[in-house]
């Protein structure tokens, strides 16, 4: 039985956690590659290796953290020990990523890899605990969707801060390396405040009875839910598409549109559209369900991406279609975490076990693999196109930039539609919830 009802402050605080997550994640996704190649002078190939390898390690750190969460029994709960332990070190390494020293090329690469790897590992632990917390705050589906709306608004606000404010702050605070270093410090402090407040305010209410965790058994239980497997596939494909497109926009603005400043405007469109659309996502989910939401969102992403490609050098067209793509991506990815909690209910209904840590972490692992694959794909495509940082680009290099921003994300979104069709939990979840409530009341 739940200890007390959720408060508005608690929901706001949980959403604030994603403000912090999306400030740090947004800056690293949109600007870190460009910072490494065009500001610090690290080669495109080395940057692809740094970003890809670290994110792959991060993905498996997510998995290990999920297993650890399912084993923890403390007075703070299962997720909070991880949140308290990692928040400040995470922000320290976020700052250090933008402190690459003026040393040899090999020294810059080593420093960049170490600081980015440590950031990714700490982010994996922290974010897995944060994601699992949602499934433990309430067992009520409508309450979860309500929390999820605040989460989506937090994502929109955090993405807005990172996408719209980064380049202006860099310029304001001195430009170049100095500007990026100072901007990193500002964002680290803001994110630490929001994330620590989330940790303090949010409470775990779902009591879990299992004591001994066996990973093969937990995975076997998790795979009882076909819908959970579908969510993992959607997370991988759509996240890869979004990361590839986001990281490519700075290159697209500078070399195709020939106006680097437009990157700020274009990147701001997605979070603006997310902020506008987030209050309505819960209503859409109640009306059409998780599967249709993911399918419609993926279709909207494809149409918006095609609109961007057709718009060419039209700034108005690029702004409009980037806005629409953000709203569509919000519709597609919005259900992921609340729906993941629903699949935990299905597994508990079928097996009597609730492996919430490992189910959240595996989904996040596939999400991070999508993020990891994006820079690898980007560097391969840019390298094949003959991209040279800071120089006039050949027609082949410009085509490579467009491929990263338009064509590959469109294909990945299409595959996301196919994956979403395997989610089949919407119609039967009401019955599952009733049975679980009766079981929990008997235990209490």
């Amino acid at each position: 039985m739940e200890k007390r009802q959720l408060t508005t402050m608690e929901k706001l605080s949980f959403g604030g956690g994603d403000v912090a997550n999306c400030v740090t994640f947004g800056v690293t996704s949109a600007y870190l590659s460009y910072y490494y190649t065009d500001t610090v002078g690290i080669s495109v190939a080395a940057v692809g290796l740094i970003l890809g390898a670290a994110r792959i390690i991060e993905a498996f750190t997510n998995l290990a953290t999920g297993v650890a969460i399912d084993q923890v029994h403390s007075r703070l709960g299962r997720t909070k020990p991880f949140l308290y332990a990692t928040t400040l070190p995470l922000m320290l390494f976020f700052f250090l990523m933008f402190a690459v020293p003026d040393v040899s090329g090999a020294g810059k690469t080593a420093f960049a890899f170490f600081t980015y790897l440590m950031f990714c590992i700490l982010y994996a632990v922290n974010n897995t605990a944060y994601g699992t917390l949602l499934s433990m705050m309430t067992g009520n589906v409508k309450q979860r969707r309500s929390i999820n709306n605040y989460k989506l608004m937090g994502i929109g606000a955090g993405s807005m801060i990172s996408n719209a404010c980064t380049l202006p702050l860099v310029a304001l605070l001195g430009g170049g390396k100095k500007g990026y270093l100072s901007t990193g410090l500002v964002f680290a402090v803001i994110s630490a405040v929001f994330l620590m407040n989330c940790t303090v305010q949010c409470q775990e209410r779902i009591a879990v009875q299992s004591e001994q965790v066996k990973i093969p058994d937990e995975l076997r239980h998790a795979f009882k839910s076909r819908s959970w497997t579908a969510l993992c596939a959607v997370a991988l494909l759509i996240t890869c598409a979004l990361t590839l497109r986001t990281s490519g926009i700075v290159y697209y603005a500078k070399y195709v549109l020939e106006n680097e400043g437009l990157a700020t405007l274009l990147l701001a469109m997605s979070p603006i559209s997310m902020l506008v659309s987030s209050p309505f996502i819960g209503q859409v989910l109640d009306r059409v369900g998780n599967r249709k939401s993911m399918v419609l969102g993926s279709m909207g992403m494809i149409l918006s991406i095609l609109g961007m490609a057709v718009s060419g050098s039209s700034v108005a067209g690029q702004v409009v279609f980037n806005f629409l793509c953000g709203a569509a991506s919000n519709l597609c990815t919005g259900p992921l975490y609340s729906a993941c909690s629903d699949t935990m209910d299905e597994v508990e209904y079928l097996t009597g076990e609730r492996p919430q840590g490992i189910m959240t972490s595996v989904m996040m692992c596939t999400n991070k693999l999508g993020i990891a694959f994006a820079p690898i794909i980007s560097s391969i495509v840019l390298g094949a196109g003959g991209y040279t940082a800071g120089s006039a680009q050949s027609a082949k290099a410009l085509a490579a930039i467009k491929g990263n921003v338009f064509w590959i994300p469109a294909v990945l979104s299409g595959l996301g539609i196919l994956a979403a069709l395997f989610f089949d939990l919407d119609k039967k979840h009401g019955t599952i919830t009733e049975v679980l409530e009766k079981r929990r009341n008997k235990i209490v």
Side-chain angles (χ1 to χ4, degrees):
M1 184 174 290
E2 297 183 4
K3 298 175 185 177
R4 60 178 174 83
Q5 292 298 311
L6 289 162
T7 65
T8 301
M9 175 57 72
E10 195 172 358
K11 295 175 184 178
L12 282 168
S13 297
F14 187 82
D18 254 317
V19 173
N21 291 332
C22 289
V23 166
T24 54
F25 176 80
V27 171
T28 55
S29 296
Y31 297 106
L32 192 61
S33 175
Y34 179 75
Y35 165 76
Y36 283 156
T37 58
D38 286 46
T39 302
V40 177
I42 301 174
S43 71
V44 170
V47 170
L49 181 62
I50 290 169
L51 301 184
R55 286 295 187 181
I56 289 172
I57 294 171
E58 177 186 357
F60 289 100
T61 305
N62 280 125
L63 181 59
T65 305
V67 174
I69 287 172
D70 283 339
Q71 296 185 37
V72 167
H73 298 275
S74 78
R75 62 181 180 82
L76 295 174
R78 290 194 161 186
T79 60
K80 285 195 174 188
F82 297 91
L83 292 168
Y84 278 120
T86 57
T87 294
L88 295 181
L90 170 64
M91 297 312 161
L92 172 63
F93 277 97
F94 173 78
F95 166 71
L96 289 175
M97 287 192 301
F98 296 98
V100 178
D102 289 321
V103 292
S104 66
K108 290 178 180 178
T109 301
F111 184 89
F113 179 70
F114 173 73
T115 53
Y116 185 65
L117 176 62
M118 291 303 299
F119 168 79
C120 287
I121 291 172
L122 289 165
Y123 186 89
V125 176
N126 190 281
N127 202 233
T128 302
Y130 172 75
T132 305
L133 178 59
L134 174 60
S135 70
M136 304 184 74
M137 289 173 68
T138 179
N140 184 285
V141 175
K142 288 187 176 181
Q143 284 289 329
R144 280 180 192 155
R145 288 180 177 173
S146 176
I147 299 170
N148 200 57
N149 282 346
Y150 284 86
K151 175 182 172 65
L152 294 177
M153 287 187 279
I155 290 173
S159 300
M160 169 69 76
I161 293 170
S162 64
N163 292 343
C165 298
T166 299
L167 290 182
L169 264 179
V170 169
L172 179 67
L173 297 175
K177 294 180 182 178
K178 178 183 177 182
Y180 274 104
L181 182 66
S182 300
T183 300
L185 177 61
V186 171
F187 285 159
V189 172
I190 292 172
S191 299
V193 170
F194 275 102
L195 197 51
M196 191 58 72
N197 178 66
C198 170
T199 305
V200 171
Q201 295 290 341
C202 296
Q203 302 297 318
E204 297 179 9
R205 293 175 177 79
I206 302 297
V208 182
Q209 302 301 315
S210 58
E211 296 293 331
Q212 186 64 37
V213 176
K214 295 182 180 179
I215 299 174
D217 289 341
E218 290 216 320
L219 288 173
R220 179 169 53 81
H221 294 322
F223 279 108
K224 294 284 186 180
S225 172
R226 186 176 75 169
S227 295
W228 175 73
T229 307
L231 285 178
C232 291
V234 172
L236 187 152
L237 293 163
I238 300 302
T239 303
C240 186
L242 291 173
T243 305
L244 194 59
R245 193 183 73 83
T246 300
S247 62
I249 283 180
V250 180
Y251 295 97
Y252 183 78
K254 182 174 182 178
Y255 296 109
V256 179
L257 300 179
E258 299 181 346
N259 186 345
E260 183 181 347
L262 284 176
T264 297
L265 176 62
L266 298 181
L267 287 169
M269 288 302 102
S270 286
I272 289 173
S273 64
M274 292 177 72
L275 281 171
V276 172
S277 61
S278 290
F280 306 102
I281 294 296
Q283 297 175 35
V284 174
L285 289 174
D286 288 338
R287 183 176 294 273
V288 304
N290 292 305
R291 178 166 66 177
K292 288 183 180 179
S293 178
M294 289 185 285
V295 170
L296 291 172
S298 298
M299 291 176 63
M301 286 176 59
I302 294 171
L303 294 174
S304 300
I305 290 170
L306 294 177
M308 291 178 225
V310 172
S311 295
S313 59
S314 169
V315 175
Q318 291 293 336
V319 167
V320 169
F321 285 111
N322 270 277
F323 180 91
L324 294 175
C325 189
S329 66
N330 204 24
L331 184 62
C332 178
T333 60
L336 288 179
Y337 282 93
S338 60
C340 186
S341 297
D342 295 346
T343 63
M344 295 174 197
D345 290 344
E346 182 183 30
V347 170
E348 185 179 357
Y349 170 78
L350 293 171
T351 68
E353 299 293 331
R354 189 180 179 88
Q356 55 214 4
I358 202 165
M359 289 181 73
T360 302
S361 64
V362 169
M363 191 188 78
M364 295 181 74
C365 179
T366 57
N367 187 301
K368 298 301 172 59
L369 286 174
I371 298 169
F373 293 154
I376 296 173
I377 294 170
S378 177
S379 64
I380 291 173
V381 172
L382 291 176
Y387 171 81
T388 304
S391 303
Q393 304 300 327
S394 65
K396 190 175 180 181
L398 293 176
I401 292 172
K402 292 177 183 178
N404 282 336
V405 177
F406 302 140
W407 312 125
I408 302 175
V411 171
L412 292 171
S413 298
L415 295 174
I417 292 174
L418 296 178
L421 293 176
F422 288 92
F423 187 94
D424 61 357
L425 188 56
D426 289 330
K427 292 183 178 180
K428 57 186 178 182
H429 194 262
T431 302
I432 291 173
T433 302
E434 290 179 7
V435 172
L436 291 181
E437 286 179 352
K438 291 178 180 178
R439 287 183 188 173
R440 290 166 183 161
N441 288 334
K442 287 181 180 179
I443 292 173
V444 174

